[in-house]
Every structure is written in structure tokens, then in C-alpha cells.
Amino acid sequence: MFDDNGFAYAKACGIIGKSFLGKRASYLSGLHSLNDLDKLVFSQHRRDIPDKELLADFKRRIEKRTLEKILPVIKSYTPSVKLLELAFKGYKYSELLDTGAALDMGYYKELLESLSQLDSEDRATAQMLIADEICICNCLWALRLRTYYNMPEEQVKKHLLDLRFHGEIFEKKQSLIARANESLNFHLDIRRHWDGWRWEKFLNPEEDARHWIAMPRYFQNAACAYLRALAYHQFHSNPLTLSSIYCFIKLMQYEEDILISTAETIALGMESSSVLKTAESKGEN
């Protein structure tokens, strides 16, 4: 449907090949200072300034670097593609799983509607990625509101994205809020209540010596790792499609998150490898 897919995908492949994702993520292990990280990422354009000033400066340059990677790829399409424009717009907002402010009903409804531009096979891939992201975000936000604010069920529901999309079975619409609503019936401190739930694998494990309670931060980290692994897999499994370019935009966002998290971890005097352990240990589909 889109003649520019080949050029865009080739360009995206080159960028991802040089990114700190996949095997190259291991380069972020064993770093002992922000200057080491700056030298690794920016090579000949590193900044020789004190660490207390370098952290904020590094973040700004990483954000600029991400924009410079994404824009040439999506601008290679003439005319522009709404799905990719919206994906880029969403990247500029902030990460969906990182802030409740990103729970924008209008934006995500428009994102789902933009899938009508794609052919059926391409649409199925993009739809799956977007649906999983919204569904997981609803579940995370429900968990946060219950854990941090002790919010009752009916109040929680008012803060979630009640969106639906066409599934594969007879075009029956499927709810992206259903899994979050299910979780509202589970006790936050009784692990067995969550058995068999769709996103059970993102929950923190039980420890023999401690009473279990659901941890939103653990759930968020595990969910982000899953979405990152899913995007990486689909990018390589669906070459020359718009869905692959959508995955590319998400992967660039994930790379930015990993690099900034690594910088913040080092600034706190912690091992940089701890970021990778969190990013990779829960990345299975």
C-alpha cells in the first residue's frame, strides 16, 4: 500500500543496528561514571563537565538524539502516515506507562482509528501492539490507584481508558479495560487471587520470609520489558510494513528510557548493570 516502506525500513534497520538494544545493550554494563556513559553514547561529541552538571545535559542530548533518529524515517513517507505521526506525537507526550497524564482517551481513540489506513495483515500487527499497550496501561494505573491512593473500585474505573477494538473473531469488539476491571476484584495482598490473570507474569514474586503485596513499580518494569521485546520481535518479523516503522518509533523511545535510566542509576552510585537486569529479565513474551 505504501511505496516508501522499503526505504523507511532500511533506514530504521541501520539505526536499530547501532542502538543500545538487543545484544548491544550489554555495552551499558560495567560503567562506573557518567563520563564513561557519555563517551560510549556520544563518542567524539562527549562533554567534559562535572557529573552534577552532566546528568541534566546528557538527558537533553539523549532526547534530541531520539528525535533526530525518528524524524527522518517518518518524513520519508509522502504523503504522511497518520499512524506514524500519532506514534511520534505520543512519544513527545511521555511514555504511556510512566505517567497518568498520558491516559488521553481522545489520543488513543484516534490512534486506533488510524489503523484503517493499513491493509488487513499490517493492521493486525499494529493493532495487537497498541491494544496490549493500552490494556497493560489500564491494569497498571488501576494497580497504582488502589495501592498508592486506596481508591475504591468505582473511582478507579473513571480514570481508565474504556476503549474497544475489532478482534479477529467475526469482527467482535474486544474491550481494552476488561483485564483492569477483573483486577479490581483481586486483593492486593493475596497472591493466589491473581492466579490465571492475563498479566499475572508481571507481578512481583512471592518471598518466603515476607508477606506478599502487589508492587506497581515491579509491574511497570516487567510490562515495559515485555512491550519492548514484543516491538523488537515484530520489527524483525514484519519487514517492509508500516507496523515495523511503528515498532521502530517505540523502540527508539525504549532506548531513550534505558539510557536515561542508566545515567540516573550511575548518578546514584549504583551499578549500571542493574538497569539491564530489570530491562531483560522480564522481556519474554
Side-chain angles (χ1 to χ4, degrees), residues 1-16:
M1 182 182 292
F2 292 91
D3 295 333
D4 305 303
N5 282 341
F7 177 80
Y9 186 74
K11 195 170 187 64
C13 281
I15 293 171
I16 287 181

Side-chain angles (χ1 to χ4, degrees), residues 5-112:
N5 282 341
F7 177 80
Y9 186 74
K11 195 170 187 64
C13 281
I15 293 171
I16 287 181
K18 296 177 182 178
S19 71
F20 292 94
L21 297 169
K23 293 180 180 179
R24 293 191 83 247
S26 62
Y27 293 174
L28 300 175
S29 295
L31 300 175
H32 301 292
S33 70
L34 285 176
N35 275 292
D36 288 342
L37 177 61
D38 195 41
K39 183 179 179 180
L40 173 65
V41 177
F42 291 103
S43 186
Q44 298 178 355
H45 302 287
R46 59 176 296 192
R47 299 285 177 88
D48 189 15
I49 56 178
D51 277 8
K52 62 181 181 180
E53 300 173 20
L54 184 56
L55 179 59
D57 184 75
F58 181 82
K59 288 181 180 180
R60 285 193 296 269
R61 283 181 290 137
I62 286 295
E63 291 168 358
K64 181 174 182 289
R65 172 180 178 268
T66 305
L67 295 177
E68 290 174 346
K69 286 183 172 185
I70 294 174
L71 279 173
V73 175
I74 63 175
K75 285 184 175 180
S76 65
Y77 286 91
T78 306
S80 60
V81 180
K82 191 171 184 180
L83 171 66
L84 303 184
E85 287 187 333
L86 288 170
F88 180 63
K89 180 182 177 182
Y91 157 74
K92 291 192 294 182
Y93 276 159
S94 63
E95 184 180 355
L96 175 62
L97 294 178
D98 196 45
T99 171
L103 290 173
D104 186 324
M105 174 73 81
Y107 168 74
Y108 288 103
K109 184 178 180 181
E110 190 176 9
L111 187 64
L112 286 171

Side-chain angles (χ1 to χ4, degrees), residues 128 132 135-136 139 178-180 182 186 194-202 219 226 230 285:
M128 174 190 64
D132 270 6
C135 179
I136 289 170
C139 294
R179 302 303 184 185
E182 288 173 4
F186 307 150
W194 302 78
D195 289 351
W197 184 55
R198 173 67 177 89
W199 304 115
E200 177 188 359
K201 61 185 175 182
F202 300 152
F219 186 97
Y226 163 81
L230 184 61
N285 289 342

Side-chain angles (χ1 to χ4, degrees), residues 97-226:
L97 294 178
D98 196 45
T99 171
L103 290 173
D104 186 324
M105 174 73 81
Y107 168 74
Y108 288 103
K109 184 178 180 181
E110 190 176 9
L111 187 64
L112 286 171
E113 289 173 351
S114 74
L115 296 174
S116 62
Q117 277 190 310
L118 282 60
D119 60 38
S120 58
E121 185 176 356
D122 202 359
R123 182 168 61 249
T125 299
Q127 181 174 273
M128 174 190 64
L129 293 163
I130 296 169
D132 270 6
E133 185 172 308
I134 296 173
C135 179
I136 289 170
C137 180
N138 274 330
C139 294
L140 172 62
W141 199 235
L143 187 59
R144 280 177 169 170
L145 292 175
R146 294 177 66 202
T147 303
Y148 299 147
Y149 303 100
N150 197 29
M151 193 174 287
E153 178 178 337
E154 291 307 312
Q155 284 297 109
V156 170
K157 289 181 178 180
K158 294 178 181 179
H159 292 272
L160 304 180
L161 294 172
D162 191 4
L163 292 170
R164 295 176 180 273
F165 74 104
H166 285 291
E168 296 178 356
I169 304 176
F170 305 115
E171 289 296 308
K172 182 179 179 180
K173 284 193 173 182
Q174 299 179 22
S175 172
L176 297 178
I177 200 175
R179 302 303 184 185
N181 285 341
E182 288 173 4
S183 74
L184 298 177
N185 298 314
F186 307 150
H187 285 232
L188 294 171
D189 59 352
I190 302 178
R191 178 61 181 82
R192 68 176 182 276
H193 282 191
W194 302 78
D195 289 351
W197 184 55
R198 173 67 177 89
W199 304 115
E200 177 188 359
K201 61 185 175 182
F202 300 152
L203 295 169
N204 49 297
E206 289 184 283
E207 298 179 16
D208 294 337
R210 297 180 62 182
H211 177 63
W212 184 86
I213 186 168
M215 297 170 56
R217 171 57 66 175
Y218 189 98
F219 186 97
Q220 176 181 333
N221 289 340
C224 285
Y226 163 81

